[in-house]
Short mmCIF file of all heavy atoms in Angstrom, two decimals:
data_model
loop_
_atom_site.label_atom_id
_atom_site.label_comp_id
_atom_site.label_asym_id
_atom_site.label_seq_id
_atom_site.Cartn_x
_atom_site.Cartn_y
_atom_site.Cartn_z
N SER P 9 -114.99 -92.42 -62.23
CA SER P 9 -115.16 -93.67 -62.93
C SER P 9 -114.67 -93.66 -64.33
O SER P 9 -114.61 -94.67 -65.02
CB SER P 9 -116.62 -94.06 -62.90
OG SER P 9 -117.42 -93.05 -63.52
N ALA P 26 -115.65 -95.68 -88.61
CA ALA P 26 -115.69 -96.05 -89.98
C ALA P 26 -114.26 -96.30 -90.52
O ALA P 26 -114.06 -97.10 -91.46
CB ALA P 26 -116.34 -94.95 -90.82
N GLY P 85 -85.18 -113.22 -80.05
CA GLY P 85 -86.62 -113.08 -79.93
C GLY P 85 -87.04 -111.67 -80.14
O GLY P 85 -88.11 -111.41 -80.73
N GLU P 95 -93.15 -105.63 -90.18
CA GLU P 95 -93.28 -106.13 -91.53
C GLU P 95 -94.61 -106.89 -91.77
O GLU P 95 -95.20 -106.78 -92.81
CB GLU P 95 -92.11 -107.06 -91.87
CG GLU P 95 -90.78 -106.33 -91.85
CD GLU P 95 -89.59 -107.29 -92.08
OE1 GLU P 95 -89.83 -108.48 -92.40
OE2 GLU P 95 -88.44 -106.84 -91.92
N GLN P 127 -88.96 -98.31 -71.88
CA GLN P 127 -88.13 -98.31 -70.70
C GLN P 127 -86.65 -98.48 -71.14
O GLN P 127 -86.30 -99.44 -71.79
CB GLN P 127 -88.51 -99.44 -69.77
CG GLN P 127 -89.84 -99.22 -69.09
CD GLN P 127 -89.82 -98.11 -68.09
OE1 GLN P 127 -88.79 -97.71 -67.55
NE2 GLN P 127 -91.03 -97.52 -67.80
N GLY P 151 -77.51 -93.05 -84.77
CA GLY P 151 -77.90 -94.33 -85.29
C GLY P 151 -76.88 -94.87 -86.29
O GLY P 151 -75.75 -94.47 -86.35
N SER P 154 -72.89 -98.92 -87.07
CA SER P 154 -71.81 -98.83 -86.10
C SER P 154 -72.12 -97.79 -85.04
O SER P 154 -71.22 -97.15 -84.46
CB SER P 154 -70.47 -98.49 -86.79
OG SER P 154 -70.58 -97.26 -87.50
N THR P 162 -70.10 -92.41 -74.99
CA THR P 162 -70.11 -91.97 -73.58
C THR P 162 -71.46 -91.40 -73.22
O THR P 162 -72.01 -90.57 -73.95
CB THR P 162 -69.03 -90.88 -73.35
OG1 THR P 162 -67.74 -91.44 -73.67
CG2 THR P 162 -69.02 -90.47 -71.86
N ALA P 176 -81.02 -84.90 -46.92
CA ALA P 176 -82.25 -85.19 -46.15
C ALA P 176 -81.98 -86.10 -44.96
O ALA P 176 -82.69 -86.04 -43.95
CB ALA P 176 -83.29 -85.81 -47.09
N GLN P 189 -73.93 -109.10 -64.57
CA GLN P 189 -74.63 -109.06 -65.86
C GLN P 189 -74.45 -107.64 -66.42
O GLN P 189 -74.43 -106.67 -65.68
CB GLN P 189 -76.13 -109.42 -65.65
CG GLN P 189 -76.98 -109.51 -66.89
CD GLN P 189 -77.72 -108.24 -67.16
OE1 GLN P 189 -77.76 -107.32 -66.37
NE2 GLN P 189 -78.27 -108.16 -68.38
N VAL P 211 -69.14 -98.98 -50.73
CA VAL P 211 -68.86 -100.42 -50.63
C VAL P 211 -69.48 -101.07 -51.85
O VAL P 211 -70.69 -101.00 -52.03
CB VAL P 211 -69.48 -100.98 -49.32
CG1 VAL P 211 -69.20 -102.50 -49.25
CG2 VAL P 211 -68.96 -100.26 -48.10
N ASN P 221 -75.01 -115.24 -53.69
CA ASN P 221 -74.82 -115.53 -52.26
C ASN P 221 -75.14 -114.20 -51.52
O ASN P 221 -74.24 -113.42 -51.17
CB ASN P 221 -73.39 -115.95 -52.01
CG ASN P 221 -73.16 -116.36 -50.53
OD1 ASN P 221 -74.05 -116.13 -49.68
ND2 ASN P 221 -72.02 -116.97 -50.25
N PHE P 222 -76.41 -113.98 -51.25
CA PHE P 222 -76.84 -112.71 -50.66
C PHE P 222 -76.47 -112.64 -49.17
O PHE P 222 -76.28 -111.57 -48.64
CB PHE P 222 -78.33 -112.53 -50.84
CG PHE P 222 -78.74 -112.18 -52.24
CD1 PHE P 222 -79.51 -113.04 -52.99
CD2 PHE P 222 -78.33 -110.99 -52.83
CE1 PHE P 222 -79.89 -112.73 -54.29
CE2 PHE P 222 -78.70 -110.65 -54.12
CZ PHE P 222 -79.47 -111.53 -54.86
N LEU P 236 -76.74 -96.47 -46.45
CA LEU P 236 -77.64 -96.68 -47.57
C LEU P 236 -77.21 -97.93 -48.34
O LEU P 236 -76.02 -98.25 -48.40
CB LEU P 236 -77.61 -95.50 -48.54
CG LEU P 236 -77.81 -94.10 -47.98
CD1 LEU P 236 -77.62 -93.08 -49.11
CD2 LEU P 236 -79.21 -93.97 -47.37
N THR P 273 -96.70 -105.05 -54.73
CA THR P 273 -96.43 -106.40 -54.27
C THR P 273 -95.34 -106.47 -53.22
O THR P 273 -94.91 -107.59 -52.85
CB THR P 273 -96.06 -107.30 -55.46
OG1 THR P 273 -94.82 -106.83 -56.06
CG2 THR P 273 -97.15 -107.33 -56.53
N ARG P 318 -110.60 -107.31 -65.99
CA ARG P 318 -111.13 -107.89 -67.23
C ARG P 318 -110.24 -108.98 -67.77
O ARG P 318 -110.70 -109.92 -68.41
CB ARG P 318 -111.34 -106.79 -68.27
CG ARG P 318 -112.53 -105.89 -67.99
CD ARG P 318 -112.88 -104.98 -69.17
NE ARG P 318 -111.82 -104.05 -69.44
CZ ARG P 318 -111.68 -102.87 -68.87
NH1 ARG P 318 -112.52 -102.47 -67.93
NH2 ARG P 318 -110.65 -102.07 -69.21
N ALA P 336 -96.85 -93.29 -71.36
CA ALA P 336 -96.32 -93.51 -72.71
C ALA P 336 -97.44 -93.51 -73.74
O ALA P 336 -97.33 -92.90 -74.83
CB ALA P 336 -95.54 -94.83 -72.76
N MET P 338 -100.32 -92.11 -73.38
CA MET P 338 -100.83 -90.71 -73.41
C MET P 338 -99.96 -89.84 -74.31
O MET P 338 -100.43 -89.02 -75.09
CB MET P 338 -100.86 -90.13 -72.01
CG MET P 338 -101.50 -88.76 -71.91
SD MET P 338 -101.30 -87.99 -70.26
CE MET P 338 -102.23 -89.13 -69.27
N ASP P 342 -101.28 -87.86 -77.47
CA ASP P 342 -101.19 -86.40 -77.61
C ASP P 342 -100.45 -86.03 -78.92
O ASP P 342 -100.81 -85.05 -79.58
CB ASP P 342 -100.47 -85.82 -76.42
CG ASP P 342 -101.35 -85.78 -75.15
OD1 ASP P 342 -102.58 -85.96 -75.32
OD2 ASP P 342 -100.80 -85.60 -74.07
N CYS P 347 -101.83 -83.91 -84.95
CA CYS P 347 -101.71 -83.99 -86.41
C CYS P 347 -103.07 -83.84 -87.12
O CYS P 347 -104.02 -84.59 -86.78
CB CYS P 347 -101.08 -85.32 -86.82
SG CYS P 347 -99.45 -85.62 -86.11
N VAL P 355 -96.10 -87.09 -85.99
CA VAL P 355 -95.96 -87.54 -84.62
C VAL P 355 -94.60 -87.22 -84.06
O VAL P 355 -94.44 -86.72 -82.93
CB VAL P 355 -96.26 -89.05 -84.52
CG1 VAL P 355 -95.83 -89.62 -83.17
CG2 VAL P 355 -97.74 -89.34 -84.76
N GLY P 369 -98.52 -83.85 -65.80
CA GLY P 369 -98.03 -83.88 -64.42
C GLY P 369 -97.67 -85.26 -63.89
O GLY P 369 -97.21 -85.38 -62.75
#
Side-chain angles (χ1 to χ4, degrees):
S9 60
E95 297 176 7
Q127 290 292 336
S154 58
T162 301
Q189 184 264 349
V211 179
N221 185 349
F222 288 115
L236 307 176
T273 62
R318 287 190 295 274
M338 185 188 297
D342 286 344
C347 301
V355 166

